[in-house]
Amino acid sequence: MLKMLARTGTGSGGSNAWVLQRISGLLLVVALFLHYLFLHFLNGGDVTWNEVTTRLASPLFKTIDLIFLVSVLFHAGQGLVINIHDYIHRPAPRVILVSLAWLLMIVLLITGTVTIVTLEPGFLQEMQMGQAAGVIDAIQSQGVAL
Amino acid sequence: MPKRTFKIFRFNPETDSKPSYKTYDVECEGWWTVLDALNEIKWFVDGTVTYRRSCRHGICGSCAMMINGKNDLACELQIKTLKGTITVDPLPGFEIYRDLAVNMDPFYAALKRVKPWLINNDPYPSKERIQSPEEFKLMGDSIACILCAACTSSCPSFWSDEQYLGPAALLKAYRYTFDTRDKGLGDRIDALDNKHGLWRCHKITNCYHACPKHLNPTEQISKLQRRIIEEKM
Ligand code: FES
């Protein structure tokens, strides 16, 4: 297990990691371009919460975002691992750091996936309004006239 | 004859606890190279200054050293192109034997790993193995490498991993991989597609700037990377 971890990334061989790093890099460039295009040029005006969440909640954008998420985390994780391989030479610290790097990416992948999949249009606004209503109720129940 | 000042790295691991610089003022002819000045110092001023040289016309690769912070051939670099005090250091990234002479074993070991010779087990042709001018061009200028190690010693990837093949060995691998007479890629691929191999190159281009023969190992490494990917797919 440890041995296997020590060999992740640019470990044994390394051609696969190299190719995937380039592919994910390309995807990032495309995703960044799409992001600018949709957010700043095609939305026809203000960047508002409602507009953005409505768009991001569509299945098409959820798919794009998931691809974006996977490629950014792979690219970042791989980059970290390459740096670790460049600077850390003793096996034990190397295994620990490489594991931590991938662990971090996995945690981010899970939280990111949950965020994207469960995103509904304008949900934060509802939540805020709900909270605000709760606060108002609470204040009123104290007998303070608003 | 103008007087020039040379600040030379001195270290004898047997007697010195740490390295130091020693300064020498030398009257130099206008046409002298750095090697001429080093010879002047060794032959007439201080015989203990240690460095390697052999051909003194830029073909054996023995005299590579760091001059004013840049790897170069002492026998090719003209003194008149340098301003002020001339600082001479050994090639970085290698163990120091003494003064400017370094232990080149890791460099040769890396070279050996890429099998830098023609591999072709086909039956011998009746005449020589012919190459067209176009086929010859595929190898580019990689054939002009003199193995001075200026590139490998300038490479941060090599500084951080002594077993990294380094630009010189990778350039050699390129030279044979793109030689139409060679069939040895299968024998070399393990050394290339390896954690101390091709993928440690991060395109820093120090090798390109260091090469006294104006070769471009970075570019050839990129081509070799693509070739290996094609081979694996
Ligand atoms: S002495 Fe041969 S290359 Fe400089």
Side-chain angles (χ1 to χ4, degrees):
Chain A
M1 172 70 176
L2 279 187
K3 217 173 170 188
M4 206 185 76
L5 272 173
R7 286 153 68 94
T8 50
T10 49
S12 66
S15 51
N16 296 342
W18 190 85
V19 172
L20 287 172
Q21 188 71 343
R22 262 131 197 93
I23 293 174
S24 57
L26 266 178
L27 282 174
L28 287 182
V29 172
V30 174
L32 204 64
F33 173 74
L34 288 178
H35 169 82
Y36 269 97
L37 196 68
F38 282 105
L39 198 63
H40 298 292
F41 296 104
L42 293 184
N43 72 340
D46 299 337
V47 181
T48 61
W49 172 262
N50 266 340
E51 234 177 85
V52 173
T53 46
T54 312
R55 189 174 62 241
L56 291 187
S58 77
L60 173 69
F61 272 93
K62 283 193 176 181
T63 318
I64 292 178
D65 275 351
L66 279 176
I67 295 173
F68 186 28
L69 180 75
V70 171
S71 40
V72 82
L73 290 179
F74 178 82
H75 201 81
Q78 187 62 38
L80 270 176
V81 169
I82 288 171
N83 276 288
I84 294 165
H85 278 273
D86 271 350
Y87 291 104
I88 314 290
H89 300 293
R90 282 182 302 133
R94 192 186 255 210
V95 171
I96 293 169
L97 284 172
V98 170
S99 318
L100 280 179
W102 284 128
L103 190 71
L104 176 68
M105 295 309 138
I106 289 169
V107 170
L108 290 174
L109 181 70
I110 293 169
T111 48
T113 310
V114 169
T115 313
I116 292 172
V117 172
T118 60
L119 186 73
E120 278 170 29
F123 85 99
L124 184 68
Q125 210 175 38
E126 278 165 29
M127 203 176 75
Q128 280 171 336
M129 277 159 60
Q131 272 176 353
V135 172
I136 292 168
D137 282 351
I139 295 171
Q140 279 175 341
S141 69
Q142 299 285 317
V144 182
L146 287 174
Chain B
M1 287 203 298
K3 237 194 176 124
R4 298 298 300 264
T5 307
F6 288 82
K7 204 175 127 196
I8 298 179
F9 178 97
R10 303 297 311 268
F11 183 53
N12 180 352
E14 280 167 15
T15 56
D16 305 342
S17 57
K18 61 177 175 21
S20 60
Y21 285 97
K22 214 165 162 187
T23 308
Y24 302 88
D25 290 323
V26 189
E27 303 217 334
C28 301
E29 300 279 359
W31 47 268
W32 272 14
T33 65
V34 173
L35 182 64
D36 290 315
L38 286 175
N39 286 341
E40 178 79 9
I41 293 167
K42 184 166 180 78
W43 295 342
F44 303 109
V45 183
D46 181 351
T48 64
V49 175
T50 306
Y51 54 92
R52 289 200 181 95
R53 90 276 180 273
S54 180
C55 69
R56 78 109 181 85
H57 60 222
I59 203 64
C60 72
S62 309
C63 68
M65 49 189 75
M66 191 161 88
I67 301 159
N68 280 354
K70 187 176 175 290
N71 289 355
D72 218 320
L73 293 179
C75 71
E76 269 195 345
L77 188 62
Q78 297 239 307
I79 291 170
K80 66 176 174 218
T81 63
L82 302 166
K83 286 198 186 81
T85 302
I86 297 159
T87 310
V88 188
D89 287 279
L91 285 178
F94 291 111
E95 178 204 354
I96 291 159
Y97 275 156
R98 185 158 164 177
D99 300 342
L100 306 174
V102 294
N103 176 3
M104 305 270 286
D105 288 353
F107 180 77
Y108 297 127
L111 193 63
K112 226 169 150 183
R113 270 168 33 226
V114 301
K115 307 194 178 145
W117 51 79
L118 190 87
I119 302 175
N120 188 339
N121 294 328
D122 294 350
Y124 288 113
S126 55
K127 284 185 184 167
E128 73 268 36
R129 293 188 163 105
I130 308 282
Q131 243 192 341
S132 71
E134 284 68 38
E135 288 173 332
F136 176 74
K137 272 193 201 133
L138 289 175
M139 291 186 281
D141 48 16
S142 62
I143 47 170
C145 172
I146 60 168
L147 294 176
C148 68
C151 58
T152 295
S153 139
S154 75
C155 173
S157 292
F158 175 72
W159 300 339
S160 77
D161 177 8
E162 210 189 41
Q163 288 184 57
Y164 170 47
L165 287 175
L170 288 171
L171 189 68
K172 238 346 156 212
Y174 171 91
R175 182 242 173 276
Y176 285 100
T177 305
F178 285 80
D179 186 330
T180 48
R181 299 162 297 184
D182 186 274
K183 301 243 159 72
L185 185 56
D187 290 358
R188 296 191 183 97
I189 202 156
D190 280 348
L192 296 173
D193 183 17
N194 179 290
K195 66 175 171 180
H196 303 295
L198 263 182
W199 321 109
R200 287 251 76 83
C201 169
H202 303 321
K203 313 287 144 58
I204 298 163
T205 67
N206 274 10
C207 53
Y208 164 70
H209 293 288
C211 180
K213 295 293 164 191
H214 311 293
L215 311 181
N216 190 345
T218 316
E219 191 189 336
Q220 321 285 54
I221 290 171
S222 295
K223 288 189 186 160
L224 194 55
Q225 285 176 328
R226 249 174 280 154
R227 180 79 180 75
I228 299 298
I229 298 293
E230 282 164 18
E231 189 70 21
K232 300 213 87 176
M233 287 183 169

